[in-house]
Amino acid sequence: MFKNLIRYAAYPTVFGLSVLAVLLSIESGIAPWPSFVFISALALFAVASLERIQPYQSDWLENHQDLIPDIGHAIGSLGLLSLTAWGLHFAKMDMRSIWPDAWPVGFQILLAGAVIDLGLYSMHRLSHRIDWLWRLHALHHSSERLYWLNGERRHPLSAVLLASPGIIVVVALGTPPLIISAWFTLLTVHLAFQHANLDYRVGPFRYLLGVAEIHRWHHKREYEDAQVNFGEFWMLWDHLFGSFHYQANEIQAGDVGLRGRHFPTHYFSQILWPFALSLDSQRQKSEPVDDI
């Protein structure tokens, strides 16, 4: 009973409470900094703790020489998000003639999230098709395990390129910075679940949300079979553009990562890896989709 409680209640409870906390924070007029950071930090701590109680793969609880660099990547990625949000608040842009600011806050957050998520989906898919984008994105796929911190394992340039189109569009629409910040807070929580080494389920909602049992297929070592499930939050785009995949037999330890096991394990080496002079050498190590 306890296992089933965690399995089916973990995501709706933690994510649901995060949504409630964000909405209450906005309604109460509490400044998003540091309240949104506090909300996401508590949720990430909950996911990390639940992994220890009920892991999806016991082997993925062990440090695969990735914990320290992943902490660095998390600081960098979350720092970029915070800096972007702070910049939007500081700029005090007011272009609300287009944005439906009379809508309830929750619906505004969902709308902003849909626009941003479409941008993320588009750039994510291109990152698997265009060689120089792949070289930046490969870092995200290099981990030999999936766990709560993987969601932020991104090259900073890749993170900027992935997020920029969606952010540009919502800013151009006049979306209030508070709404954008709220969505990124919730997306941070969701990404922890998306990569979590946690035995959890969301039932039929797996066809709608990019949760772990769907997203693990995207990290499959055999890239021929893994050009699927590019959505960061919604699976709608994958359904519309034919990239959705679900299969009952699940990904196991040893099934994820890059084919070559030569990716550097140190943070700064990982940051510099895409800029190596020998493109052919990099292709041999990571085998991007263009070579398949």
Side-chain angles (χ1 to χ4, degrees):
M1 182 180 295
F2 180 68
K3 286 185 176 180
N4 280 331
L5 180 63
I6 293 178
R7 183 172 292 128
Y8 294 104
Y11 185 91
T13 299
V14 176
F15 189 78
L17 287 174
S18 299
V19 171
L20 181 61
V22 166
L23 293 177
L24 288 176
S25 176
I26 294 174
E27 184 180 338
S28 302
I30 301 173
W33 176 268
S35 62
F36 286 178
V37 176
F38 182 68
I39 292 167
S40 58
L42 280 179
L44 294 183
F45 176 77
V47 178
S49 300
L50 288 169
E51 281 190 348
R52 294 287 163 180
I53 298 171
Q54 189 160 299
Y56 170 71
Q57 292 287 310
S58 296
D59 181 65
W60 287 351
L61 291 176
E62 302 299 325
N63 185 0
H64 286 48
Q65 294 185 294
D66 53 3
L67 181 60
I68 298 301
D70 282 354
I71 291 173
H73 292 304
I75 292 172
S77 294
L78 295 176
L80 277 173
L81 278 181
S82 297
L83 185 62
T84 300
W86 179 85
L88 291 172
H89 284 277
F90 182 77
K92 295 182 180 179
M93 297 180 181
D94 191 4
M95 301 168 62
R96 302 188 184 185
S97 58
I98 300 176
W99 185 256
D101 54 358
W103 287 12
V105 169
F107 288 106
Q108 292 187 53
I109 294 172
L110 284 174
L111 178 59
V115 174
I116 292 171
D117 202 60
L118 177 58
L120 287 169
Y121 172 89
S122 302
M123 289 304 300
H124 192 177
R125 195 159 185 179
L126 285 175
S127 294
H128 283 248
R129 298 291 179 184
I130 299 175
D131 187 82
W132 66 272
L133 285 174
W134 165 252
R135 294 177 71 188
L136 293 170
H137 182 60
L139 169 61
H140 182 65
H141 285 265
S142 64
S143 180
E144 297 292 320
R145 61 170 175 153
L146 296 177
Y147 70 118
W148 69 277
L149 208 49
N150 283 147
E152 308 304 333
R153 183 186 176 97
R154 303 178 189 274
H155 195 284
L157 288 179
S158 179
V160 169
L161 290 168
L162 284 167
S164 290
I167 292 176
I168 290 171
V169 171
V170 292
V171 169
L173 290 173
T175 312
L178 183 62
I179 298 298
I180 300 174
S181 298
W183 176 254
F184 276 123
T185 300
L186 298 177
L187 183 60
T188 298
V189 178
H190 173 78
L191 288 176
F193 271 107
Q194 186 181 67
H195 297 82
N197 179 26
L198 173 62
D199 180 11
Y200 77 99
R201 300 286 189 277
V202 294
F205 288 102
R206 63 175 173 265
Y207 294 101
L208 178 65
L209 303 173
V211 290
E213 61 182 310
I214 296 298
H215 192 71
R216 289 179 189 126
W217 288 100
H218 180 73
H219 282 264
K220 201 167 185 293
R221 191 181 300 277
E222 290 74 28
Y223 268 33
E224 301 93 328
D225 304 323
Q227 303 310 305
V228 296
N229 302 342
F230 294 95
E232 298 288 340
F233 190 91
W234 303 111
M235 287 290 100
L236 171 64
W237 319 119
D238 288 283
H239 286 294
L240 286 175
F241 300 113
S243 55
F244 180 82
H245 174 76
Y246 172 70
Q247 198 171 329
N249 57 317
E250 300 180 72
I251 301 298
Q252 304 297 315
D255 290 342
V256 302
L258 299 174
R259 277 204 183 98
R261 295 175 177 265
H262 308 293
F263 206 89
T265 57
H266 298 288
Y267 175 78
F268 289 108
S269 297
Q270 292 175 353
I271 295 298
L272 294 174
W273 184 87
F275 309 107
L277 295 178
S278 175
L279 180 58
D280 288 337
S281 173
Q282 299 295 356
R283 282 178 170 165
Q284 291 172 6
K285 292 177 180 179
S286 62
E287 297 187 29
V289 70
D290 287 353
D291 286 347
I292 293 171

